[in-house]
Structure formats: structure tokens, C-alpha cells
């Protein structure tokens, strides 16, 4: 704090003073100089603290700028090493082609090169060759972007569905298109569809049900709040009940004039069967309809009776065109 005295005025008069008064005034002048020096030192310390903080911040930013690319490069190399390790019979030329594609996808899309490499790794573990991985990656990126889901998870789910239905790797674009059409028109998403198909795909494949039919029915149940594994178990139970109907179910189907198998003994499309059941029960009351559906498809399938009745009565509203 500044002295309350105007020292320049006092000092001018001090020359005429002697003894204790002069010494007192001189002491006050020294104290004021010390206070001013203290303020200067305090200001210097504040400036040094600010400069130090700014220097540390700049150092942190510099280290982040250096470490970021190094860590990203390490992640990419690790992901590509996995691709190289799990891809069957991959050549060096094929590996370099995959590496270039991952880098190009990382530069041209919202996904990083490491994420692209991770997606390739999931495809490789599903048995995709290097060429099949390269062909599938664009559709995987489109599917992941449309579903706002991690690229690696998307590739894992799509490849599982492909394998579950016994489809060739060349049909990965078909799988992606069906999934997009389903989750953009029904109350489901990529992870939910993955869970549903995990339960239904093997049975659907054995029964001759197409991927499009299974996805359509998954979407139907999703709209009724029956999703993920619950939808899968419901659809699986329906297929199993139709493949080996109980005596009561077989009698009910015969009374409705609906045949489960064709002339060659192969199971007919569930979509067709549901449509015919819907035509047969359309004029009945809802209680009778639900009773018939429960008799044919069983307790598990009856978890979504309203959705099943709606599908049976108006199948054209939900069947996805293949």
C-alpha cells in the first residue's frame, strides 16, 4: 500500500529540520522504498507463475501432439497384425492391399484406419479371405454409419448373420442392405438384430426361411416391443412348432385348410403360412384368433400374440420384399 505521506513535499522541508524529526522522516522514506520493492517482487512472482503455467500447458499440448499419432499408429499396426495372423493363406501382397484400403478408408470416412483394420479382423475371424474382406468393407462402413454403431461390432454381427444363414461372403452387401432396411423401418437396431438372428438363423436356415423373411418378422416383433433374444426365441419357437406341430396344432391347421409342407415334403414359407392362417381367422373374434394362434405356435410364440395376429391378418403390411 502507498504511504499516506507525500514524501516529495516532506523531504523538501526536511533540510531545515534537525535531530529526531529528520531521522524519522528519512526512516519513512526507506520504508516506502521497501514497500515499493516488495510490490515489484510480488508482480514478478505472479508473472513467472503465469509464464510457468503457460509453458507447462504448451508442453502438454506438444506432448499430446506427439503422442497422439504415435499411439494411433501403434493401434493400427496392432490391428493389422491381427488381420495378418487370422486371415487364412494371406500373401504379403494381399496384406499390403488390405493395409492400403484401411488407410484409405480412414482418410476418406468418419472411421479411423484402426477402426477399419478392426473391422477387417472380425471378418477374418469369420473366415473371410483377404479378397473377401476388401470386397465387404465398403458395405460394412455404410452399415455401421447408418446404424451409428462401432465398425468392429457391426462387422462381427453382420458376419455372424451371414454364417448363420449359410451365405457366401460375396453376399455381405445383401446382408447389410437387409439390416439397414429393417432397422430403419422397425423398432430395432443392429445389436438387437444380431441377438435375434443368433437364435433364429440356424433354425431358419434348416427350414428354408430366407434372410429377408426372418428380418421382416424380427422387425414386426420389434414394433411390438419384442426385441433382441426374446424375438429370436419367439421366432425359433414358431418355426419349431410348425416343423413338428403337436397333434392339436396339426388338427387346427388342417381345419383351417393350411398345409405346413409342400408336395415335396419341404416346409413352406412361414410368411405364406401366416398369410393363410390370417385369411382363415380374419372373420373371427379376437379371443378366438388368439386361441388359434396359441394352439398353433405355442406359449413361447404367444409372448407377442397381438403382433402375430396382426401379421396373420394383414401380412402384406409387414412382409419385406426380397
Amino acid at each position: 500500500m502507498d504511504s499516506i505521506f507525500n514524501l516529495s513535499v516532506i523531504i523538501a522541508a526536511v533540510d531545515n529540520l534537525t535531530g529526531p524529526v529528520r531521522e524519522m522522516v528519512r526512516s519513512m522514506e526507506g520504508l516506502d522504498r521497501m514497500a515499493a520493492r516488495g510490490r515489484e517482487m510480488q508482480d514478478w512472482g505472479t508473472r513467472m507463475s503465469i509464464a510457468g503455467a503457460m509453458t507447462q500447458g504448451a508442453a502438454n499440448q506438444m506432448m499430446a501432439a506427439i503422442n497422439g499419432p504415435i499411439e494411433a499408429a501403434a493401434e493400427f499396426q496392432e490391428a493389422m497384425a491381427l488381420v495378418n495372423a487370422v486371415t487364412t493363406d494371406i500373401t504379403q501382397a494381399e496384406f499390403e492391399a488390405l493395409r492400403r484400403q484401411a488407410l484409405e478408408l480412414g482418410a476418406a470416412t468418419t472411421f479411423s484406419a484402426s477402426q477399419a483394420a478392426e473391422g477387417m479382423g472380425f471378418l477374418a475371424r469369420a473366415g473371410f479371405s483377404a479378397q473377401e474382406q476388401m470386397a465387404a468393407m465398403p458395405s460394412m462402413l455404410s452399415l455401421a454409419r447408418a446404424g451409428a454403431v462401432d465398425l468392429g461390432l457391426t462387422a462381427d454381427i453382420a458376419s455372424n448373420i451371414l454364417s448363420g444363414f449359410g451365405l457366401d461372403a460375396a453376399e455381405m452387401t445383401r446382408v447389410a442392405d437387409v439390416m439397414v432396411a429393417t432397422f430403419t423401418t422397425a423398432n430395432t437396431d443392429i445389436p438387437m438384430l444380431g441377438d435375434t438372428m443368433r437364435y433364429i438363423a440356424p433354425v431358419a436356415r434348416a427350414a428354408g426361411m430366407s434372410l429377408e423373411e426372418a428380418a421382416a418378422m424380427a422387425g414386426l416383433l420389434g414394433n411390438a416391443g419384442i426385441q433382441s433374444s426374446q424375438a429370436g426365441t419367439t421366432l425359433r419357437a414358431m418355426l419349431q412348432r410348425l416343423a413338428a406341430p403337436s397333434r392339436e396344432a396339426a388338427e387346427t391347421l388342417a381345419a383351417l385348410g393350411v398345409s405346413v409342407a409342400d408336395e415335396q415334403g419341404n416346409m413352406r414359407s412361414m410368411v405364406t403360412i401366416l398369410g393363410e392362417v390370417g385369411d382363415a381367422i380374419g372373420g373371427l373374434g379376437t379371443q378366438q384368433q388368439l386361441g388359434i394362434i396359441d394352439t398353433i405356435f405355442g406359449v413361447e410364440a404367444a409372448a407377442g400374440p397381438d403382433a402375430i395376429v396382426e401379421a396373420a391378418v394383414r401380412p402384406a403390411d409387414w412382409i419385406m420384399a426380397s
Side-chain angles (χ1 to χ4, degrees):
M1 173 181 265
D2 292 338
S3 173
I4 60 175
F5 296 100
N6 190 332
L7 293 179
S8 62
V9 175
I10 294 176
I11 292 171
V14 161
D15 291 336
N16 297 322
L17 301 175
T18 59
V21 175
R22 176 190 288 265
E23 291 304 319
M24 181 183 68
V25 173
R26 292 302 182 188
S27 297
M28 290 175 60
E29 180 185 16
L31 289 172
D32 195 65
R33 283 197 303 269
M34 290 177 64
R37 182 59 176 167
R39 288 194 299 273
E40 291 177 0
M41 292 296 292
Q42 186 178 26
D43 290 343
W44 180 84
T46 300
R47 289 195 300 271
M48 289 302 293
S49 296
I50 294 173
M54 293 178 64
T55 302
Q56 185 62 48
N60 290 340
Q61 291 180 351
M62 183 180 296
M63 290 304 296
I66 293 173
N67 290 334
I70 292 176
E71 292 175 357
E75 289 177 1
F76 175 68
Q77 294 299 339
E78 183 178 352
M80 288 306 304
L82 176 62
V83 172
N84 191 33
V86 299
T87 302
T88 304
D89 297 328
I90 188 172
T91 66
Q92 185 60 34
E94 288 174 332
F95 174 74
E96 289 299 329
L98 284 171
R99 186 176 184 279
R100 285 194 301 272
Q101 185 188 44
L103 290 171
E104 291 169 358
L105 292 173
T109 70
T110 57
F111 298 100
S112 68
S114 295
Q115 289 173 320
E118 183 184 6
M120 291 174 176
F122 278 106
L123 295 178
R125 284 194 288 267
F128 281 52
S129 68
Q131 295 299 323
E132 289 168 343
Q133 291 173 48
M134 293 185 67
M137 281 305 296
S139 61
M140 290 299 92
L141 265 69
S142 298
L143 177 59
R145 186 166 53 247
V149 176
D150 176 77
L151 179 57
L153 177 61
T154 298
D156 186 27
I157 292 173
S159 60
N160 288 341
I161 292 174
L162 185 89
S163 300
F165 279 89
L167 303 176
D168 294 330
E171 295 195 78
M172 184 59 94
T173 298
R174 172 190 170 191
V175 173
D177 289 344
V178 170
M179 292 179 70
V180 171
T182 303
F183 70 68
T184 56
T185 58
N187 185 21
T188 188
D189 57 26
I190 291 176
M192 289 179 183
L193 279 174
D195 282 343
T196 299
M197 295 304 180
R198 180 161 53 92
Y199 285 89
I200 187 60
V203 180
R205 177 184 178 184
M209 175 183 281
S210 71
L211 169 64
E212 287 76 10
E213 289 176 330
M217 298 189 73
L220 166 71
L221 294 180
N223 287 339
I226 304 172
Q227 302 159 327
S228 297
S229 59
Q230 185 183 8
T233 55
T234 297
L235 290 174
R236 183 176 64 186
M238 290 173 63
L239 272 175
Q240 290 172 334
R241 291 279 294 198
L242 286 175
S246 65
R247 180 178 60 81
E248 189 178 5
E251 291 175 352
T252 300
L253 286 166
L256 296 175
V258 177
S259 177
V260 174
D262 59 21
E263 295 178 354
Q264 287 73 40
N266 297 316
M267 187 171 174
R268 301 171 66 211
S269 165
M270 183 184 286
V271 170
T272 301
I273 294 172
L274 277 175
E276 292 178 356
V277 171
D279 291 339
I281 68 175
L284 303 178
T286 55
Q287 183 178 9
Q288 290 177 293
Q289 291 179 354
L290 292 175
I292 291 172
I293 292 296
D294 182 58
T295 298
I296 296 173
F297 295 107
V299 175
E300 287 186 79
D306 292 338
I308 296 170
V309 169
E310 187 71 11
V313 175
R314 294 205 305 270
D317 292 345
W318 60 270
I319 297 174
M320 182 186 301
S322 61

